[in-house]
Every structure is written in C-alpha cells, then in structure tokens.
Amino acid sequence: QSALTQPPSASGSPGQSVTISCTGTSSDVGGYNYVSWYQQHPGKAPKLMIYEVSKRPSGVPDRFSGSKSGNTASLTVSGLQAEDEADYYCSSYAGSSVVFGGGTKLTVL
Amino acid sequence: EVQLVESGGGLVKPGGSLRLSCAASGFTFSNYSMNWVRQAPGKGLEWVSSITSRSYIYYADSVKGRFTISRDNAKNSLYLQMSSLRAEDTAVYYCARDIIAVAGTSLDYWGQGTLVTVSS
C-alpha cells in the first residue's frame, strides 16, 4: 500500500490549463479504472471532482477532466479560476485496499 | 440533503482506545459502502477502512488488527473502534460515502471530521 506519486506543487495563471499527474503501479492505477481526484480547500473536507478515471459527479464544472495512460493518471483543470486554488489528491483502488497520492498544491498566480 | 456527522474524537494516551461514530442522514444508508479516511495534521489523506453495503470489510495495513469498522443500518450509523492507539494515529478522521459499489474508490460525501489526538 505505497502512496501514489504526485508533484508537490503546480501553478497556472487565470484562464490557463494545468495538469496534475498521479503515478502508481500496475497493482493500482494501471490495474483498475478506479482512479479518483479530490479537491481540498484549507480547513475543509475533501470534495470529489473525478471518479472512475474520467467521470464527473453532478455539480463539478466540465473544466475538470481526468484521464489515464498506463500507470499514470492525470487531472486537467482548464480555464483556471481563483477558486481552483487548493490541494488535490488522487486515489486508486488497489485490490481490497485504496491508496491516495501525497497531494498537489495548486496555486493560481 | 446528505449529511454525515462524526463524533467521538478526543485526546487519548498511547495504547488506549476510542470509538468514533458517524451519523448519516438524507439517503438510504444501507445501500451504500461507507469509509473512514484520516488526515494527520498538515499531511495528506490516508484511507483507513471501508465497509460495503453487504458488510464486506477492508482495512489499511497500518490499522489492521487494531481498528474495527462496523455499521448499524437501523441507526444509520458507521463506527470505528480504535485500540492500541499510537502517536501516528493522530489525525482528523473523516467518514465518507461511496458513490459506486467498489468500496473506497469514489467518496462523494464527507463529514466535517473529528480530531483524534494520541499523546501522553
């Protein structure tokens, strides 16, 4: 149950696009289409942004999209807005367990 | 409106025990997998345990043998019995609901969290 690997930080200017990666192994990200992404603002509970690699829950803007290639999943935020500044975590099913990434702090410049 | 409200956190000495509860409302509790996820101060999220609607149970290696997850569908409640607590168990513990049947993979509603501090 090793943590998935995310870059500690990412940034972009308003209106730009930014992509956050999440690298695992064939035992988690690469082995299942159960990758999720969560947004967490300081002092708040996480919010589900993407599940099953690329599905968006109701209410999540279509500026948020997810994808996967091999053992690496990605979250892309298009048309960056100030309120997108937050921590983002990926997670993956790993066969009878779940593993999270270490988190990426997204800064909107 | 879906609501998840955790309770039971507090200060406990190393080796001690604590029972967390999560009261659910606004949805048919028995139909959903439920989970505990924790976050140590200033750190990232860590999955702790899941229980499916059919009461299949899964644990992270870090808590296996020390924590017990359970649910009471009649009371719309989720529990986490924690024993042999260690300093590294100090965290905010969140209760969260799964949107799909594969437990722990898509947590669409979260509680506000309850803080557990393990210290002498």
Side-chain angles (χ1 to χ4, degrees):
Chain A
Q1 295 178 354
S2 298
L4 305 176
T5 300
Q6 296 182 235
S9 62
S11 63
S13 299
Q16 289 187 332
S17 294
V18 64
T19 297
I20 299 171
S21 63
C22 170
T23 301
T25 69
S26 58
S27 297
D28 39 62
V29 174
Y32 307 94
N33 287 324
Y34 293 118
V35 176
S36 292
W37 289 91
Y38 300 90
Q39 176 192 67
Q40 187 179 34
H41 288 107
K44 301 294 188 182
K47 176 185 177 182
L48 180 66
M49 305 303 285
I50 297 287
Y51 67 103
E52 290 186 81
V53 178
S54 59
K55 295 180 179 179
R56 274 188 311 276
S58 173
V60 172
D62 60 6
R63 303 186 294 104
F64 292 85
S65 62
S67 62
K68 189 186 85 165
S69 177
N71 296 337
T72 298
S74 299
L75 172 72
T76 297
V77 186
S78 305
L80 270 176
Q81 298 181 5
E83 58 262 36
D84 299 333
E85 184 162 297
D87 293 325
Y88 290 83
Y89 295 91
C90 62
S91 76
S92 176
Y93 183 66
S96 300
S97 67
V98 174
V99 61
F100 278 92
T104 297
K105 182 174 180 59
L106 174 60
T107 301
V108 181
L109 301 170
Chain B
E1 178 193 6
V2 172
Q3 282 198 315
L4 299 170
V5 180
E6 303 95 336
S7 60
L11 176 62
V12 60
K13 288 181 168 55
S17 298
L18 209 57
R19 189 196 196 206
L20 305 184
S21 299
C22 171
S25 60
F27 65 102
T28 305
F29 180 75
S30 59
N31 288 351
Y32 289 83
S33 294
M34 297 297 298
N35 308 266
W36 291 99
V37 176
R38 69 185 180 184
Q39 187 169 34
K43 302 297 184 182
L45 301 173
E46 180 187 13
W47 172 77
V48 173
S49 182
S50 300
I51 183 167
T52 71
S53 59
R54 295 184 178 185
S55 292
Y56 292 109
I57 287 172
Y58 307 95
Y59 296 104
D61 287 345
S62 58
V63 306
K64 201 171 294 183
R66 300 188 300 122
F67 290 11
T68 301
I69 191 172
S70 62
R71 64 191 299 161
D72 185 335
N73 291 336
K75 294 184 177 180
N76 291 336
S77 293
L78 176 72
Y79 306 101
L80 187 67
Q81 178 69 47
M82 305 184 295
S83 61
S84 302
L85 282 162
R86 307 165 179 166
E88 54 264 36
D89 295 318
T90 294
V92 172
Y93 285 72
Y94 293 102
C95 161
R97 185 188 84 164
D98 263 297
I99 196 174
I100 65 172
V102 184
T105 61
S106 54
L107 309 180
D108 67 335
Y109 281 96
W110 297 62
Q112 83 289 351
T114 187
L115 177 63
V116 172
T117 303
V118 184
S119 174
S120 55

